[in-house]
Amino acid sequence: MIGLIVLTLLGAAAAAPTDDRIVGGYQCEAHSQPWQVSLNLGYHYCGGSLINDKWIISAAHCWQNPYSQIAILGENHIWKHEGSEQYMSVDAIYWHQSYDYQTLDFDIMLMRLVHPATLNQYVKPVALPKACAQPGDMCTVSGWGNIYSDSVFNPFYLQCVEVPILSDKECDGSYPGQITDQMVCAGYLEGGKDSCQGDSGGPLVCNGELQGVVSWGNGCAQPNYPGVYTKVCSLLPWINEILSTYS
């Protein structure tokens, strides 16, 4: 049964792994990722992606009580008000009914905004995929998460990194028995570039389409442990069902 998330699930969400941040990237050109969302509890805690003027996609393990958070659109510098931001309340969150907080299978949720966002040069939705990405496709991951693999420093400005989609064989070779049909790996087996803590729920965008949601990984930017993303193309029927039922 698909339904609203209830408060009792907070403990499960809070217990999920958080190995997900931008390492080895660069400061994004301001507002070059206009679909990027900051989920905020008085501080940034997860990312998300705007997919139309009323809906955000993020990771299910980022779930928090919808009434205790805001979604910030049009953000660039995380601690500075620059005039481009839209501060949006969330009135409903739907996560996939098969989500497993231990394996992070089906790690996806949809968040409905109380009011439609104003779309402009700073705030634009990202397209959902028409087909799955192919191994070797280059993609951009963005977020305000930790930028070091061996210590903690969260940047003020949105960070970006380019990573390739890996084959199912490479992905399963790094995480034997842990990769499902709802997951895709992206990164470099030699390490050095990855997403990390604080980037969870954020976008993996390939050729202008949202192909992944930052989900999990073993450490950050470590050799032989690429980032693992929720595979958006495999979950399109569920996404479209939620949008059509609850919009």
Side-chain angles (χ1 to χ4, degrees):
M1 175 181 167
I2 297 171
L4 280 172
I5 297 174
V6 294
L7 289 174
T8 53
L9 295 174
L10 176 58
T18 55
D19 289 340
D20 33 29
R21 67 187 177 265
I22 300 296
V23 175
Y26 56 92
Q27 183 175 316
C28 309
E29 180 182 345
H31 307 295
S32 61
Q33 316 298 313
W35 43 81
Q36 175 79 48
V37 178
S38 170
L39 302 182
N40 193 290
L41 292 167
Y43 56 89
H44 168 84
Y45 77 93
C46 266
S49 303
L50 190 72
I51 57 168
N52 61 40
D53 65 356
K54 200 82 184 282
W55 288 89
I56 291 165
I57 283 183
S58 186
H61 81 260
C62 287
W63 184 83
Q64 297 283 353
N65 177 356
Y67 304 114
S68 69
Q69 66 180 291
I70 58 170
I72 307 177
L73 316 179
E75 186 77 283
N76 180 40
H77 188 295
I78 201 77
W79 293 112
K80 187 187 297 181
H81 182 73
E82 298 175 287
S84 56
E85 300 91 347
Q86 296 179 39
Y87 301 91
M88 311 294 288
S89 297
V90 176
D91 75 349
I93 300 179
Y94 304 86
W95 69 4
H96 200 287
Q97 64 273 21
S98 298
Y99 169 59
D100 185 324
Y101 75 90
Q102 294 178 306
T103 66
L104 291 187
D105 200 11
F106 295 93
D107 188 16
I108 192 168
M109 68 179 179
L110 283 163
M111 311 173 71
R112 188 177 67 201
L113 301 175
V114 172
H115 303 293
T118 300
L119 303 184
N120 54 34
Q121 68 189 84
Y122 308 113
V123 176
K124 295 178 184 176
V126 63
L128 292 173
K130 300 180 186 67
C132 294
Q134 298 301 306
D137 285 356
M138 290 302 296
C139 311
T140 300
V141 192
S142 52
W144 287 277
N146 190 13
I147 61 173
Y148 294 124
S149 57
D150 56 357
S151 59
V152 177
F153 179 79
N154 289 76
F156 297 130
Y157 289 98
L158 185 66
Q159 303 291 303
C160 289
V161 66
E162 272 78 47
V163 290
I165 296 290
L166 298 178
S167 68
D168 292 342
K169 182 179 179 180
E170 289 171 312
C171 193
D172 193 61
S174 293
Y175 301 103
Q178 297 175 267
I179 303 302
T180 71
D181 291 341
Q182 289 70 237
M183 300 176 189
V184 62
C185 285
Y188 295 92
L189 294 182
E190 62 268 29
K193 296 185 177 185
D194 199 3
S195 51
C196 208
Q197 279 91 1
D199 293 324
S200 280
L204 174 79
V205 176
C206 318
N207 300 313
E209 296 179 338
L210 182 68
Q211 291 286 357
V213 175
V214 178
S215 183
W216 64 280
N218 186 348
C220 307
Q222 299 299 314
N224 299 312
Y225 292 113
V228 185
Y229 299 80
T230 307
K231 191 174 183 179
V232 175
C233 65
S234 69
L235 294 164
L236 284 174
W238 176 81
I239 292 168
N240 289 326
E241 180 184 357
I242 295 293
L243 296 182
S244 63
T245 304
Y246 297 105
S247 288

